[in-house]
Amino acid sequence: MSSTRPRRGLRALVIVVVLLACLGFAADRVAESLAEDRLAVVAQDEAARYDVRASSTSVEVGGFGFLPQLARGEFSRITLTMQQPTFSSIPAQDLTVVMSGIQVPREVLTGGTGAGVKVTSADLKLRMSPDALNRLARAGGLDGLTLRIVNSKLQARVAVQGVTASATVRPQVQNGRISLVVDGLPGVPSAIRDAVNSVLARGIVVPDLPFGASVKQVAVDGQSILLTATAANFELPAA
């Protein structure tokens, strides 16, 4: 009898510990979900200040354990995803923002006002179609330019001095613009070639990105154009 009672007591203790752990995990998940919804609203409102809107906005809190991070008032990583965003009415495919070193006052998560969310750094990835890039080009005065992706390369068709030329181009970021470097224009007179190079070198103006981010790289990714940008030391004001 005496040998079975300790075993039963130990078994009961294990069950209690497991139940408490499950309850703690459930509470952590519920709190995290509510906080993610709240942070999505805060980030969405801030993005709207840059004339950026999306069909849907979601936030995922990274790091181990939401409640311990909440207790510290600091999160190691937050990922913001905006589906089908528009930038100054020009549609893109998606925007992903990975923020690091985030200080979140509890008032922000409870709907209060005052101090906002402070972010140490953020990496942005904006994906858009060649047609969206065409619209940006036209908005910047490059009316005779048409871009498309063929075999994972960006091709430009441009009308200059009454002549239409096509060439493979390499997109590059220069002074915050997307410039297009011509790989070659075989069979085109040098005067036309110089004119084409001059037109494409003007670059395509990139609309203001959320959180004051600066464009660092541009590349062809599948059938999309992928812009990479960074931001540092900014604040998301409480709604």
Side-chain angles (χ1 to χ4, degrees), residues 101-176:
I102 309 103
Q103 296 180 2
V104 184
R106 296 182 184 178
E107 293 80 5
V108 174
L109 301 180
T110 57
T113 58
V117 177
K118 295 182 179 180
V119 181
T120 302
S121 63
D123 294 320
L124 291 76
K125 290 187 181 299
L126 172 64
R127 191 180 306 273
M128 64 175 61
S129 67
D131 182 63
L133 202 58
N134 288 332
R135 295 179 63 173
L136 285 177
R138 289 193 293 270
L142 294 177
D143 296 327
L145 175 66
T146 301
L147 298 166
R148 61 176 184 163
I149 297 175
V150 179
N151 297 326
S152 300
K153 293 184 178 181
L154 190 62
Q155 289 193 349
R157 183 181 176 89
V158 59
V160 177
Q161 299 179 7
V163 177
T164 300
S166 298
T168 299
V169 295
R170 288 179 288 110
Q172 295 181 347
V173 174
Q174 293 183 350
N175 300 321

Side-chain angles (χ1 to χ4, degrees), residues 2 7 20 27 32 34 56 64 67 79 117 120 146 150 153 192 196 220 224:
S2 60
R7 287 199 293 269
L20 290 176
E32 180 176 337
L34 294 174
S56 65
F64 180 75
L67 293 177
T79 301
V117 177
T120 302
T146 301
V150 179
K153 293 184 178 181
I192 299 299
V196 170
V220 175
S224 303

Side-chain angles (χ1 to χ4, degrees), residues 29 31-45 56-62 66 75 77-83 95-99 102 104 109 117 211 236:
R29 296 298 94 187
E32 180 176 337
S33 178
L34 294 174
E36 289 174 344
D37 291 342
R38 177 60 185 161
L39 289 171
V41 172
V42 172
Q44 185 173 265
D45 290 345
S56 65
T57 302
S58 61
V59 165
E60 180 180 353
V61 176
F66 171 79
F75 296 88
R77 186 179 72 257
I78 291 177
T79 301
L80 166 71
T81 302
M82 303 183 78
Q83 296 293 338
L95 171 67
T96 302
V97 184
V98 180
M99 306 179 192
I102 309 103
V104 184
L109 301 180
V117 177
F211 322 127
L236 307 178

